[in-house]
Amino acid sequence: MYFLRVQHNESVHKIKSALMKSHKDGRRTIVDSVFSQLAYLQKQVKLRRMTVAQAQQIAIDMIRSYVSSEGDYIWVNDLDCKLVVHPAKNIIGPSVKKYRTPTGRYIFQELVELCKKKGKGYVSYYGFRKGDDPKEADPELKLSYVS
């Protein structure tokens, strides 16, 4: 009986690991795709097929439009933790440097530091979904890929 229990736990661990890898790969693929599209826009500007302002607006619209059926989205912040592009237009501009997760982590500072040190990577943390009332909802585990 003990052997079966251990074997079951190992199988559950393998399944969880496979699901997390798939989840991470999906995040990275989406971000890599955005970077590819941005490189294309940059090339169009260089070839004088569009202006910088046109390319920037296309990029902003493209990034804002990505919201998955699960509520996942893409945002852009600079190295000073100021939001540059976000699906919620009303929060563009201010610094989110002092934003803390429900568990007290300065998540945007962590994301910027990861980019500075390694260039890219994953960070998991607890946060609320868009529209959640923090007084009524429990924070859920989130995973972000930054590059």
Side-chain angles (χ1 to χ4, degrees), residues 79-129:
L79 295 177
D80 293 322
C81 297
K82 289 185 181 175
L83 288 174
V84 178
V85 181
H86 194 280
K89 295 176 186 178
N90 62 324
I91 62 172
I92 302 301
S95 174
V96 288
K97 192 175 217 167
K98 298 295 181 190
Y99 173 81
R100 291 169 46 160
T101 66
T103 58
R105 290 171 60 190
Y106 292 99
I107 192 63
F108 287 97
Q109 291 179 41
E110 286 185 38
L111 296 168
V112 167
E113 284 305 309
L114 176 62
C115 283
K116 286 179 178 178
K117 289 180 182 174
K118 296 185 178 180
K120 59 186 171 184
Y122 300 93
V123 175
S124 59
Y125 57 95
Y126 283 90
F128 295 104
R129 287 268 176 198

Side-chain angles (χ1 to χ4, degrees), residues 129-145:
R129 287 268 176 198
K130 181 181 175 186
D132 281 352
D133 181 350
K135 294 176 184 171
E136 296 179 14
D138 291 325
E140 60 184 61
L141 186 61
K142 292 184 165 193
L143 175 70
S144 290
Y145 174 75

Side-chain angles (χ1 to χ4, degrees), residues 13-49:
H13 178 71
K14 286 179 183 177
I15 291 169
K16 284 182 179 180
S17 294
L19 288 172
M20 180 55 81
K21 182 182 180 326
S22 175
H23 195 59
K24 284 182 171 182
D25 289 347
R27 295 280 190 274
R28 189 186 70 247
T29 299
I30 292 166
V31 172
D32 289 348
S33 173
V34 169
F35 272 103
S36 176
Q37 293 171 26
L38 294 175
Y40 171 80
L41 292 172
Q42 188 176 24
K43 184 176 181 180
Q44 298 307 302
V45 170
K46 192 173 187 177
L47 295 172
R48 298 179 189 266
R49 292 183 180 156

